[in-house]
Amino acid sequence: MKAMVIARAGGPEVIEQVERPEPAPGPGQVLVAVAAAGVNFMDIGVRQDERFWSEFAYPKPLGVEGAGRVLAVGAGVTEWSPGQRVAWAYAPGSYAEQVVVPAGALVAVPDGVDDRTAAALMMQGLTASHFATDFYPVQRGDVALVHAAAGGLGLLLTQIIKLRGGTVIGRVSSADKVAVAKEAGADHVIVDTQGRFAEEAVRLSGGEGVHVVYDGSGPRTFQGSLDALRVSGTFCWYGPVLGAPDAIEIMRLPKSIKLGYAVFAHHVRTPDLLRTRAARLFDWVLSGQLRVRIGGEYPLADAARAHADMESRVTTGKLLLIP
């Protein structure tokens, strides 16, 4: 079985393909043939920083997300059987032809949703759902600022905000991404690479500032996101891979804002919640209310190129590896 691993921390060049014995599922586990694996910034963090996934010895596995078909089940597993189509959001080692997944981490993929769409939807779709329906439940008339609005997460988040009646101000890094963000429903798009977007966001929100900002773009945008908020606005911070801001003095936070670090796992902390939230995403896809943009598909062996492309910020939508 082919799998992608890293022998040390470093750049995309440390990713290598290895041959491993076919895994066998243990009690409570399911063996899945991977049809498509999602590429996420989390994977880049694991590759770059040895502190990530410190419980794994080198060579470390890569990838957490994918979709495929059940090959075998371990002892005690009754809800899954060989041949079923499934997807998952967190199973380390998903950059492989086969992966062992805890039974409780799987969701059923309905007819009408293909494997690539299912794989592209899981991590970022569940994250976007958490941000807009749980961490800050967007209400009709709310104005949201979405950073990286042409990325896989940003495109899904924009659509979910629009489904809930909100207005989206998207921020993108280049002019050629504007059309992609608008196609997803962004009402306004700001092109910015220097963190100088706040004044325009305030203007576009009618002069009061936005109700909520979703910022996973690292320290450079932190102050601008604060400045873009209205009184009692909400700051949804995520994405530790790009770094954190300096220490915050809570009494210096402006405008009575609410600031929090949103973690999607809290949205799907039980198998029932995972399956409920995933089913809602699939329903939106089947009804045409949510579109998944796949920005690039790479052979499994080209995982390093996928990482390099994602880090270059030239891509839009979701990147997938196809074993």
Side-chain angles (χ1 to χ4, degrees), residues 250-272:
I250 193 167
M251 291 179 67
R252 291 183 179 273
L253 288 175
K255 296 178 284 190
S256 296
I257 67 161
K258 297 173 285 291
L259 170 64
Y261 174 52
V263 180
F264 97 97
H266 298 156
H267 187 54
V268 292
R269 58 191 179 275
T270 68
D272 285 345

Side-chain angles (χ1 to χ4, degrees), residues 79-80 87-90 102-108 122 126 130 134 263-279:
E79 68 267 48
W80 304 111
W88 59 95
Y90 193 83
L106 292 169
V107 302
M122 293 303 294
L126 291 167
H130 174 42
D134 188 358
V263 180
F264 97 97
H266 298 156
H267 187 54
V268 292
R269 58 191 179 275
T270 68
D272 285 345
L273 280 172
L274 170 65
R275 288 161 189 169
T276 297
R277 304 293 190 253

Side-chain angles (χ1 to χ4, degrees), residues 27-41:
Q29 296 179 329
V30 176
L31 176 63
V32 181
V34 180
V39 181
N40 294 284
F41 268 104

Side-chain angles (χ1 to χ4, degrees), residues 226-244:
L226 285 178
D227 296 339
L229 285 164
R230 66 177 57 201
V231 172
S232 298
T234 297
F235 193 144
C236 176
W237 173 263
Y238 66 97
V241 172
L242 297 177

Side-chain angles (χ1 to χ4, degrees), residues 161-228:
I161 292 168
K162 296 301 294 181
L163 282 173
R164 295 179 64 86
T167 295
V168 174
I169 301 171
R171 174 184 162 270
V172 298
S173 60
S174 61
D176 58 358
K177 296 182 179 181
V178 171
V180 175
K182 286 191 171 181
E183 184 182 1
D187 300 276
H188 312 282
V189 181
I190 299 170
V191 179
D192 166 75
T193 57
Q194 302 300 317
R196 298 171 183 167
F197 54 86
E199 183 176 345
E200 181 67 0
V202 170
R203 184 188 72 79
L204 291 170
S205 63
E208 294 188 42
V210 301
H211 293 84
V212 59
V213 56
Y214 299 100
D215 188 348
S217 294
R220 176 178 291 183
T221 56
F222 187 84
Q223 185 60 51
S225 291
L226 285 178
D227 296 339

Side-chain angles (χ1 to χ4, degrees), residues 2-91:
K2 294 180 175 62
M4 308 306 295
V5 301
I6 53 172
R8 66 186 189 282
E13 71 280 357
V14 304
I15 302 175
E16 59 185 62
Q17 182 174 280
V18 297
E19 286 285 345
R20 287 187 164 173
E22 292 189 4
Q29 296 179 329
V30 176
L31 176 63
V32 181
V34 180
V39 181
N40 294 284
F41 268 104
M42 174 189 294
D43 309 334
I44 292 173
V46 171
R47 192 201 76 221
Q48 291 178 331
D49 192 335
E50 61 187 13
R51 293 171 298 178
F52 280 83
W53 286 6
S54 58
E55 67 272 25
F56 291 101
Y58 287 109
K60 286 184 182 180
L62 279 177
V64 295
E65 165 195 48
R69 199 172 289 272
V70 174
L71 291 174
V73 301
V77 176
T78 58
E79 68 267 48
W80 304 111
S81 57
Q84 284 183 284
R85 295 179 62 230
V86 293
W88 59 95
Y90 193 83

